[in-house]
């Protein structure tokens, strides 16, 4: 049973526009959420995180929104750049544990 | 500095070989992790070390043997692997192994078992 779901396998966006990547979760014990970016044959790079006590966290071009009642989070990238083209993984941890539960990833393609 | 280093970058081994993967971090992190990632799949947790002690083994076959010689180093010893073990092996670390910790990943070792 998938506890973290990224229902869009891929997303195409034009350079300069907003990219919105979505993630849903089912486990109400999750209290910390992270987004990682991954290029092929490289390790995931940490982008941004959000604690369940917040509903928004911003870092430069990246903003993560958390809607606890809907068990939904999203990553906004504004403006999108061709270098943002990668696979984006949503991940979550439960209270008291640091082990990550990953979604299956969304491949973002930003075209010039 | 959030750097986790892994060696080697690539490894090809036969099914009878013994090899080791190495991971190092100098961030003072006390939790370290091994993951396995197949193409187009998310990383799968294999082992967690917390304060140099193995705290989680996700039912990994004994042909994979982790070792944490000190708080900065994590090894994964490989013996008698199967071709289906070919994957990207990722090491990660976090400050602790409890709540709301961010894991930082290394670049991975791409392993091919022939």
């Amino acid at each position: 049973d998938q506890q973290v779901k990224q229902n869009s396998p891929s997303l195409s966006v034009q350079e300069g526009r907003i990219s919105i990547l979505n993630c849903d979760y089912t486990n109400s014990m999750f209290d910390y959420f992270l987004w990682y970016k991954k290029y092929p044959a490289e390790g995931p790079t940490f982008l941004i995180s959000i604690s369940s006590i917040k509903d928004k966290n911003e870092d430069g071009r990246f903003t993560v929104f958390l809607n606890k009642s809907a068990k939904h989070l999203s990553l906004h990238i504004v403006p999108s750049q061709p270098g943002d083209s990668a696979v984006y993984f949503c991940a979550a941890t439960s209270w008291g544990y640091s082990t990550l539960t990953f979604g299956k990833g969304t491949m973002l393609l930003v075209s010039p | 500095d959030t750097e986790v280093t892994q060696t080697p970058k690539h490894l090809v081994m036969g099914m009878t070989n013994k090899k080791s993967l190495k991971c190092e971090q100098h961030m003072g992190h006390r939790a370290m992790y091994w993951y396995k990632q197949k193409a187009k799949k998310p990383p799968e947790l294999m082992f967690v070390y917390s304060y140099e002690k193995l705290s989680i083994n996700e039912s990994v076959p004994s042909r994979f043997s982790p070792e944490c010689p000190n708080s900065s180093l994590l090894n994964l010893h490989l013996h008698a692997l199967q071709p289906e073990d070919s994957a990207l092996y990722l090491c990660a670390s976090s400050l602790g192994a409890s709540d709301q910790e961010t894991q930082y990943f290394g670049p991975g070792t791409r392993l091919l078992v022939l």
Side-chain angles (χ1 to χ4, degrees):
Chain A
D1 179 34
Q2 253 192 293
Q3 298 185 64
V4 176
K5 299 176 187 178
Q6 293 178 257
N7 291 320
S8 298
S10 63
L11 175 68
S12 291
V13 170
Q14 278 201 310
E15 182 178 7
R17 301 284 190 117
I18 183 170
S19 295
I20 300 177
L21 297 110
N22 293 305
C23 179
D24 296 294
Y25 61 96
T26 57
N27 188 341
S28 54
M29 296 297 289
F30 287 149
D31 68 342
Y32 188 57
F33 303 89
L34 309 94
W35 284 95
Y36 288 88
K37 169 182 175 180
K38 189 177 183 304
Y39 295 115
E42 293 186 12
T45 301
F46 169 69
L47 279 176
I48 192 167
S49 62
I50 187 164
S51 164
S52 58
I53 62 171
K54 295 186 173 183
D55 54 20
K56 178 182 173 181
N57 190 24
E58 198 170 349
D59 184 0
R61 297 187 297 116
F62 303 93
T63 302
V64 56
F65 296 92
L66 176 63
N67 182 333
K68 286 193 295 294
S69 60
K71 292 192 174 71
H72 176 83
L73 63 154
S74 60
L75 174 68
H76 292 211
I77 306 173
V78 183
S80 301
Q81 299 172 354
D84 296 329
S85 298
V87 176
Y88 288 78
F89 287 101
C90 171
T93 68
S94 302
W95 188 88
Y97 296 93
S98 64
T99 54
L100 292 169
T101 301
F102 282 93
K104 289 190 172 182
T106 296
M107 179 178 290
L108 173 66
L109 178 61
V110 180
S111 52
Chain B
D1 181 18
T2 55
E3 189 178 27
V4 177
T5 59
Q6 289 186 245
T7 54
K9 287 193 75 169
H10 303 276
L11 180 62
V12 180
M13 61 187 290
M15 289 190 282
T16 58
N17 292 159
K18 283 186 183 182
K19 296 285 185 185
S20 296
L21 309 185
K22 295 185 185 302
C23 173
E24 193 166 359
Q25 57 86 15
H26 295 287
M27 297 179 277
H29 288 179
R30 303 314 299 265
M32 296 185 77
Y33 311 78
W34 280 115
Y35 288 84
K36 173 182 177 179
Q37 186 174 24
K38 293 276 211 178
K40 301 193 179 183
K41 299 275 189 182
E44 293 176 22
L45 182 66
M46 299 174 73
F47 302 103
V48 181
Y49 272 82
S50 177
Y51 290 85
E52 299 160 52
K53 292 195 187 322
L54 183 65
S55 60
I56 294 177
N57 175 341
E58 290 285 341
S59 304
V60 179
S62 59
R63 58 186 184 268
F64 295 92
S65 174
E67 178 198 16
C68 190
N70 60 55
S71 59
S72 300
L73 292 174
L74 185 66
N75 298 321
L76 185 63
H77 302 297
L78 314 173
H79 175 53
L81 294 194
Q82 304 296 311
E84 59 264 28
D85 296 322
S86 300
L88 181 68
Y89 287 84
L90 295 163
C91 174
S93 71
S94 62
L95 194 59
S98 60
D99 203 32
Q100 303 202 354
E101 300 280 5
T102 297
Q103 289 184 32
Y104 296 93
F105 285 82
T109 293
R110 183 154 294 281
L111 174 68
L112 178 61
V113 182
L114 299 176

